[in-house]
Amino acid sequence: MTIRVLIADDESLLRSAFRMVIEAEPDMEVAGEAGEGEEAATMARRLRPDVVLMDVRMPDLDGIEATRRIVRDCPRSRVLILTTFDLDEYAFAGLRAGAAGFLPKNTRPAELLTAIRNVASGEAALSPRVARRLLERFAPQLMPGAPARDERLALLTAREHEVLVQVAHGLSNAEVATALHLAEATVKTHLSRVLFKLGLRDRAQVVVFAYETGLVRPSAHP
């Protein structure tokens, strides 16, 4: 399959650079380019790309709101946020809006391509540990008030709940298996059910969900 990528950035030179890197790959193609957030959201609805590279600072509509609209209107399209720094409030806001991950703009081409392939295949473009570091840093300021209980949690079995919490703390499947005395394949099965029942896309979204619902709190450890 060819991975179709929409590039959304207000800097034409950056768009050209991303295009050159992507089109040099036999399994990728650039579906389109957008220089504004509103344009990116509109093009995503029309083109249905597999992956959207999304800058956060764009005229007309910022990349966070554009991400939110794309995630809502194009559930098969995955968004990668492009940030100036590897850990900032825009990356945090992008994850909360439904992005599959984030990348610094100075990411090496090989790392960019790997991230695109990962999110196109349904994986997150960052580890749960990085997502947790991000939430540890920004959640207290940017998620004020008491966490809201989510009724979808009632859909989980006790074991699925345990797996959810462990994954939200940044543990790998192997580490969860050790902690809960389970086979790694069993952990994978439980995690798949958790994602399905909660309507989450990947492990990074598990971390965000756990913080928003109060299952995991800043500086808490399993």
Side-chain angles (χ1 to χ4, degrees), residues 15-192:
R15 293 200 307 271
S16 297
F18 287 136
R19 175 181 282 275
M20 289 179 61
V21 170
I22 291 167
E23 292 194 333
E25 298 301 298
D27 62 335
M28 297 183 190
E29 68 178 23
V30 175
E33 296 183 18
E36 298 179 349
E38 187 73 49
E39 182 183 21
T42 299
M43 291 183 70
R45 288 193 296 270
R46 176 168 56 86
L47 299 173
R48 303 289 172 171
D50 300 299
V51 178
V52 180
L53 295 182
M54 178 70 72
D55 185 21
V56 290
R57 299 181 181 181
M58 288 190 292
D60 186 31
L61 185 74
D62 68 56
I64 303 305
E65 180 58 30
T67 295
R68 190 173 291 110
R69 294 185 187 184
I70 291 170
V71 169
R72 179 194 66 199
D73 299 336
C74 313
R76 293 182 180 274
S77 297
R78 311 269 288 170
V79 180
L80 270 173
I81 296 289
L82 300 172
T83 65
T84 303
F85 306 103
D86 63 348
L87 286 180
D88 63 19
E89 66 272 23
Y90 295 110
F92 172 85
L95 290 181
R96 292 195 74 198
F102 61 90
L103 293 170
K105 284 192 172 185
N106 61 354
T107 294
R108 295 177 180 177
E111 294 171 347
L112 170 67
L113 296 171
T114 296
I116 290 173
R117 291 188 176 99
N118 284 346
V119 300
S121 67
E123 298 293 327
L126 74 165
S127 71
R129 279 192 172 86
V130 172
R132 186 177 177 196
R133 279 175 56 212
L134 191 68
L135 269 69
E136 287 280 349
R137 180 170 174 180
F138 293 104
Q141 309 99 281
L142 301 181
M143 293 171 63
R149 181 74 178 177
D150 194 303
E151 61 185 17
R152 289 174 295 174
L153 286 169
L155 300 174
L156 302 182
T157 66
R159 183 61 85 184
E160 289 166 353
H161 190 280
E162 288 179 324
V163 170
L164 164 63
V165 172
Q166 294 290 331
V167 170
H169 279 287
L171 274 63
S172 67
N173 287 348
E175 291 168 334
V176 175
T178 299
L180 299 181
H181 307 289
L182 298 172
E184 189 171 347
T186 303
V187 172
K188 290 180 180 178
T189 299
H190 285 312
L191 180 57
S192 295

